[in-house]
Amino acid sequence: MFATPRIGALARRVRPTAASRTRLLPALPPIAALLPEGGLRRGTVVRCTGSGAPSLAMAVAAGPSAAGSWCGTVGLDELGVLAAAGYGLDLERLVVVRAAPAEWAVAASVLLDGVDLVVLAPPRHVRHAAAQTLAARARDRGAVVLVVGERPGFPAELELAVEAARWYGLAEGAGRLQSRRVTVVACGRGSAVRPVRQELWLPAATGKVAAA
Amino acid sequence: MTGRPDAGLPRLLLVECPGLEVPDGASRAGGDGETDGAGGDERLRRFGRVVEALSSVCPWVDAVRPGVCTLPIKGPTRYFGTEEAVLAQVTETVAAALDAVPAVAPGTPGGTSGARGASGHTSGTPGGTSGARGASGPTSGEAAGVRLGVAEGVFAAALAARAGLVVPVGETAGFLAPWPVDVLGDPELADVLVRLGLSTLGRFAAVPAADVLARFGASGVRGHRIARGLEGELPGYRVAGTGARLVAVLGRALALQDRQPGFWGGASAADERAGEVLVALQRRLGVEAVMVPVLEGGRGPADRCRLVPWSPPAAAREPKTARRRSPPEPPWPGRLPPPAPARVTAGAPPVEMADGAGAPVGVTARGLLTGAPVRLSVAGDRWTPVTAWSAPWPVEERWWSRARRRVARLQVLTADGTGWLLVTERGRWRVEAVYD
């Protein structure tokens, strides 16, 4: 299913966006270290898994968002918008779509027409065909889909898995949650076939993502 | 928090066709449209014709539930000149659409008689809203039962339709104020409110938001936001997938069309492109399915950031940036320190927390925990060991002087590495947010 990027075709199809017409969406430096090309390749699906996957997805989305891309979420009705702002998402270009479970695919598909980045938490049992259609749509539009959670039915070019997570700052009856140290393993196809491991603060005490 | 912020609720014309409602059981049974009988299908088909016909007045008709649809009235008003002209047009359109199809066994317009004695007849205007004009419904044939109402947000527009009213721009809060609290559709909450003397939406709205969660729980917060005009729709009012079912029974796509070129003057190409799909999404899923964040002052994560329905930049007069940036930053004692939680739970699931002896952990009058929490269970799930917890911090200082109301937040870490933000409410713990 993984096709070499059809740059020529894409460039003709993709309408201009504020960010750029290049094939990569920018990533914040701590995230870029996990990405085989140092940025998010347009037209691909990236899966974020493990505990803290929603936070990781926000940290990944922060780069393009800060650079002017619109970001839409589907299935993340409980998104902590303050946390999203903390990670660096531009709230001016964030839209939270609350679709009924039966309508998530339609919502995501329509959204892909107008935004560079769709953060998607699909139902647990995604029909393979629906996932394929959506992935093809992303490829066609030159957008990036970030799938949050274990969704093996969803074809992804890259998986970012939080393997170990530990909160710091809270003790027995004292302190507060301050920062979380995580190990993220990036693994995928093509140039990403060799896993890359990265220690991150997700979030650091500032609310942002940082290399640990 | 006290000053009424720009709620951003869209001004809607709501059309209610009482005869075309599909009984609740049938409409809830699922999105496939095959569960109710032929009568239900026929009513849906007739309603579909109404929606289809209305899309000639305005391309953004939102089928909220069988028998009820809304359309944003601003755009058509620009087009037709005045709201009255839009109402006349809608009245005529609905009547024509209903007369064009032979009537089936008429459904009983049941259950929705106005709580204040407002009837479907448009002459019976209830008092209390001085400026409200009557909105006359269609007058011919079966269409006579159709009710129209105009106000900001679906909830207010539905109340306006009960009374057949056009609530003047900006006066929705005043219109809502005299309605009894049972219109919020939560008898338990209404009962408590009435006993406290908060018998109307207006009185309820005057309660400071910070006190509402502690006193009335999550359902109270929802109702309070609606009473204040911050949220526009009661949960459960919208029947998801109605639009899709209409398409299914009509056997053709609803001919909805774009008609406003140059709507997005001045926006960047990306903003313009995003705006187009957000309009498409609102048309498809409903206005309040497409939400954008607004930052506000407040203590908890839910108070500090709320989501409002997205509205096209041209509809919001002032530049978007003025509304959505620069959160007010007065000192909020008791505000949650950063980092913010990644997930703010919608339903405030209940939590049980026990100490080493198995006794429930509470908060003392002095603001201390009654014991060291050892395990925790969310919404009746299995117990998880607690590995760390904060000292409780008060949500509202002055309440600590009165021993009865102890309201506090607590951060807890469980053995699976999850961080929880809990809040007490009358001795009961609930999840407010998760550090996911």
Side-chain angles (χ1 to χ4, degrees), chain A residues 36-116:
Chain A
E37 296 170 281
L40 293 162
R41 191 194 299 175
R42 285 180 176 276
T44 60
V45 177
V46 176
R47 196 159 52 209
C48 299
T49 60
S51 79
S55 295
L56 183 58
M58 284 189 247
V60 173
S65 175
S69 286
W70 272 79
C71 174
T73 72
V74 177
L76 290 162
D77 297 3
E78 298 187 332
L79 178 75
V81 179
L82 278 181
Y87 281 114
L89 267 94
D90 184 350
L91 298 190
E92 288 276 299
R93 294 196 173 81
L94 175 67
V95 55
V96 176
V97 179
R98 293 173 170 169
E103 291 178 317
W104 70 271
V106 172
S109 168
V110 174
L111 207 47
L112 278 172
D113 272 348
V115 305
D116 283 334

Side-chain angles (χ1 to χ4, degrees), chain A residues 17-18 55 70 78 80-81 83 91-98 103 106 111 113-114 116 167 171 173-178 180, chain B residues 270-271 273-274 277 281 284-285 289-291 293 305 321 324 337-344 346 388-390 411 417 435-436:
Chain A
T17 71
S55 295
W70 272 79
E78 298 187 332
V81 179
L91 298 190
E92 288 276 299
R93 294 196 173 81
L94 175 67
V95 55
V96 176
V97 179
R98 293 173 170 169
E103 291 178 317
V106 172
L111 207 47
D113 272 348
D116 283 334
W167 277 99
R176 60 183 176 82
L177 294 172
Q178 241 165 348
R180 176 173 53 179
Chain B
D271 291 348
R273 195 164 65 106
V277 305
L281 274 174
R284 191 133 189 180
L285 305 175
V290 181
M291 308 292 278
C305 183
T321 43
R324 288 177 63 183
R343 184 151 69 86
V344 180
W389 62 96
S390 69
Q411 283 181 334
Y435 294 84
D436 221 346

Side-chain angles (χ1 to χ4, degrees), chain B residues 4 48 50-51 66 115 124 150 153 161 164 168 213 260 272 279 287 307 310 349 353 371 397 420:
Chain B
R4 200 180 158 285
V50 170
V51 171
V150 179
L213 175 63
Q260 281 177 294
E272 192 170 316
V279 167
V287 167
L307 294 169
W310 178 83
M353 198 160 48
E397 287 73 10
W420 304 88

Side-chain angles (χ1 to χ4, degrees), chain B residues 319-331:
Chain B
K320 206 163 53 131
T321 43
R323 238 177 66 230
R324 288 177 63 183
R325 269 210 192 117
S326 69
E329 287 290 345

